Amino acid sequence: MKGLIRGIHHITAIAGDPQRNIEFYMGVLGLRLVKRTVNYDDPRAYHFYFGDEKGRPGTILTFFSWPGAHRGRKGTGQATAASFSVPERSLGSWAERLSSRGIPFNGPVPRFDEEVITLSDPDGLALELVERAGERADDPGTDGPIPPSLAIRGIHGVTLSVEGNERTAGLLTERFGFRFKGEKGNRFRYEAEAGESGSVVDVFSLPAANGGQVAVGTVHHVAFRTPGRQEQSAWRNELLESGYDVTPVIDRTYFRSIYFHEPGGVLFEIATDSPGFSVDEPVDRLGSRLVLPAWLEPQRSRLEKILPPIRIPKP
Ligand code: ZN
């Protein structure tokens, strides 16, 4: 039994300079670096995972860093914005925080039943901070630079830009089990039944727009949650039977992954919740050192020379 998709597991995007990336997501947005590793498909590039204090699925935004690479182009066939949940009545403080650091933003503006601030990261990636009624108030950790009343609670959702929303909507509602929640202009909203972190997918229908190009400042893929191997295997079989071109299961150490393109062209992944980020370092040490999978350990000294040094910003 594969069950329904429980929401977004992580979003992966491309950054330029790794130090600038870390300073923004840790220093400005107050996320934790929960894993410092390399891109398994190109180990000369960092792969950073940012998230909450435990690195829970649904809180994770990850980056491959491509220093010196050109910026990508936003367009159809891409996820064009990543949004974070923040506590109720916190956007005023976020506006002050961003202003005091000279970071441009727009809003807060209403969208459906929420308030939203939009901004860009240093590489031009579109981000949103979304105040959500009833957003849980449990303590997201006390060692971050952001007070708990303000701290990001996790991924809120993602915006996909596609030529036409119907086929993407079909995948989300008929297979993933998302519910259609409403439309405003060309924005169509779908939400996972579970209603946990990362449960919102907005689909922008842009029939006249150009296709996007993945490079610095764009999203590489969106990963959705499934509990474990059995459910993932069932998903893989179902997608293959439906005609999707799905990869074999790939071991990403912290989760297992399958990838396929959704009908609008966006690269989707289905990732397992288990085993999680504490599989190779304790929770209180997450992200404190470069960790490599066993098959790359023999190359550690070579990779440490190639990868630019980074400093973790002080709170
Ligand atoms: Zn991924």
Side-chain angles (χ1 to χ4, degrees), residues 10-12 47 49 62 64 221-223 252 255 257 259 269 271:
H10 65 269
I11 299 171
T12 292
H47 191 182
Y49 292 80
T62 98
F64 301 133
H221 64 265
V222 181
R252 299 303 191 191
F255 43 85
S257 303
Y259 302 86
E269 171 183 347

